[in-house]
Amino acid sequence: MKALGLCLAGPTASGKTAVALALAERLPLEIISVDSALVYRGMDIGTAKPSLAERAAVPHHLIDILDPSGSYSAAAFAADAQRLAGEIRARGRLPLLVGGTMLYFKALRDGIDAMPAADPEVRAALDARATVEGWPALHAELARIDPVTAARLAPADSQRVQRALEVYVVSGRPLSEWHQPKATSQRDAWPMVSLEPASRAWLHRRVAERFDAMLAAGFVDEVRALRARGDLNPDLPSMRCVGYRQAWAALEADDLRPLRNEGIAATRQLAKRQLTWLRSMPDRHIVESDSPGALEAAISRLESLRAD
């Protein structure tokens, strides 16, 4: 099957942007963001959103398409990505999908059922239970109901634990069943190169450096402005993004001292979940992002997949 586009995945801070921009210097391409946080307007610093200069140099899509009060789904991403890739190919350019939201990649490459819509009553009941029992207890319940999903979620990942339990309550089916590949899987049409470091310490160091850079760039003020709008709350998908959740809580408590350590720890957990997702995609082409010559190796692999 001829490739409809190329996928560049990897955990946060693994070097995806550098590879994508370097490849754009060699090939006529447009980037489709595969990131559930970059869709939100006004969330620039904490998402490490590509700069205006980078976006001027290479066309980017699915960035700044939604207000933080809204929500976006994997099914919506798959539909948008397919449409955009067709438009990009019609312009004689290469669609390059870049990001770390693995569920979005899976939805595009394997297909995904339209899962049950959010149920405010079920969510409220789960929130009430979590207040009394704690999210780790609800995670333990999820492990009994849906061990596959529970294995890739941290016990404190309230947003995803809640959603997994909500899907089960509403549909009677574990979330992992909804995520099963369809018979019409299109993995060959969307070949994937994955940047994965051999050294976890290398990734942890880059995560810390990135979070420190965000703080220096005014991340706290960005979240302070979002809170000041008055129409956002910490339960929204946008405000549950890694970093924003921790900054919101720190501002709520009027104590910024724990923010750096908590933000870095949460980002490390995100990277761990991303790597777990990637290991479930055996067809990916791995490039060790911490190895000498990783950038050239990734570009070479992407170019070869384009030619296949």
Side-chain angles (χ1 to χ4, degrees), residues 46 211 214 219 223 239-249 259 262-263 266-267:
F211 200 81
M214 290 175 180
F219 176 47
V223 180
M239 294 301 101
R240 288 186 173 188
C241 291
V242 166
Y244 288 87
R245 182 190 308 182
Q246 289 73 33
W248 186 292
L259 175 56
E262 291 180 357
T267 309

Side-chain angles (χ1 to χ4, degrees), residues 113-151:
D113 288 324
M115 289 187 290
D119 187 313
E121 291 186 4
V122 172
R123 290 194 170 189
L126 290 168
D127 282 335
R129 285 187 55 197
T131 299
V132 176
E133 304 171 37
W135 284 108
L138 270 68
H139 181 271
E141 179 178 322
L142 178 63
R144 295 190 293 272
I145 293 169
D146 186 357
V148 173
T149 298

Side-chain angles (χ1 to χ4, degrees), residues 215-246:
L215 291 173
F219 176 47
V220 172
D221 287 337
E222 180 175 83
V223 180
R224 186 178 284 116
L226 290 166
R227 291 182 75 245
R229 283 179 35 161
D231 63 335
L232 303 178
N233 65 74
D235 293 325
L236 287 168
S238 60
M239 294 301 101
R240 288 186 173 188
C241 291
V242 166
Y244 288 87
R245 182 190 308 182
Q246 289 73 33

Side-chain angles (χ1 to χ4, degrees), residues 243-293:
Y244 288 87
R245 182 190 308 182
Q246 289 73 33
W248 186 292
L251 288 167
E252 189 79 19
D254 195 24
D255 184 2
L256 297 177
R257 289 173 298 177
L259 175 56
R260 180 182 182 272
N261 288 340
E262 291 180 357
I264 290 172
T267 309
R268 286 183 177 183
Q269 286 297 316
L270 169 63
K272 182 178 180 181
R273 293 194 298 273
Q274 290 169 320
L275 288 166
T276 298
W277 264 106
L278 285 165
R279 285 193 288 270
S280 72
M281 302 177 181
D283 62 303
R284 73 197 189 281
H285 301 265
I286 301 172
V287 172
E288 291 186 353
S289 53
D290 55 343
S291 64

Side-chain angles (χ1 to χ4, degrees), residues 31-278:
I31 294 172
I32 299 175
S33 170
V34 189
D35 191 303
S36 60
L38 295 190
V39 300
Y40 295 112
R41 293 186 290 271
M43 295 172 57
D44 303 328
I45 299 172
T47 61
K49 195 170 287 180
S51 69
L52 293 178
E54 291 168 339
R55 291 154 69 179
V58 185
H60 285 65
H61 303 275
L62 299 185
I63 293 177
D64 290 344
I65 62 171
L66 204 63
D67 185 82
S69 60
S71 61
Y72 195 60
S73 69
F77 165 80
D80 286 343
Q82 289 172 359
R83 171 182 56 80
L84 288 165
E87 294 171 359
I88 293 167
R89 291 194 302 272
R91 291 191 284 270
R93 301 172 72 84
L94 171 69
L96 177 65
L97 289 81
V98 183
T101 301
M102 304 309 166
L103 178 58
Y104 285 10
F105 277 122
K106 185 174 179 62
L108 175 67
R109 300 172 80 236
D110 291 339
I112 189 170
D113 288 324
M115 289 187 290
D119 187 313
E121 291 186 4
V122 172
R123 290 194 170 189
L126 290 168
D127 282 335
R129 285 187 55 197
T131 299
V132 176
E133 304 171 37
W135 284 108
L138 270 68
H139 181 271
E141 179 178 322
L142 178 63
R144 295 190 293 272
I145 293 169
D146 186 357
V148 173
T149 298
R152 64 176 178 80
L153 300 182
D157 190 352
S158 58
Q159 178 184 5
R160 292 175 177 83
V161 171
Q162 181 192 61
R163 178 57 176 159
L165 289 171
E166 175 190 36
V167 167
Y168 182 79
V169 171
V170 171
S171 70
R173 291 173 57 192
L175 182 63
S176 56
E177 288 187 8
W178 291 92
H179 289 171
Q180 289 300 312
K182 294 184 176 180
T184 55
S185 175
Q186 298 190 74
R187 293 181 185 180
D188 291 344
W190 305 96
M192 174 183 286
V193 169
S194 178
L195 301 179
E196 301 176 29
S199 167
R200 193 65 59 88
W202 177 89
L203 186 62
H204 287 177
R205 183 171 62 253
R206 285 173 62 91
V207 163
E209 290 171 353
R210 171 179 285 189
F211 200 81
D212 284 339
M214 290 175 180
L215 291 173
F219 176 47
V220 172
D221 287 337
E222 180 175 83
V223 180
R224 186 178 284 116
L226 290 166
R227 291 182 75 245
R229 283 179 35 161
D231 63 335
L232 303 178
N233 65 74
D235 293 325
L236 287 168
S238 60
M239 294 301 101
R240 288 186 173 188
C241 291
V242 166
Y244 288 87
R245 182 190 308 182
Q246 289 73 33
W248 186 292
L251 288 167
E252 189 79 19
D254 195 24
D255 184 2
L256 297 177
R257 289 173 298 177
L259 175 56
R260 180 182 182 272
N261 288 340
E262 291 180 357
I264 290 172
T267 309
R268 286 183 177 183
Q269 286 297 316
L270 169 63
K272 182 178 180 181
R273 293 194 298 273
Q274 290 169 320
L275 288 166
T276 298
W277 264 106
L278 285 165

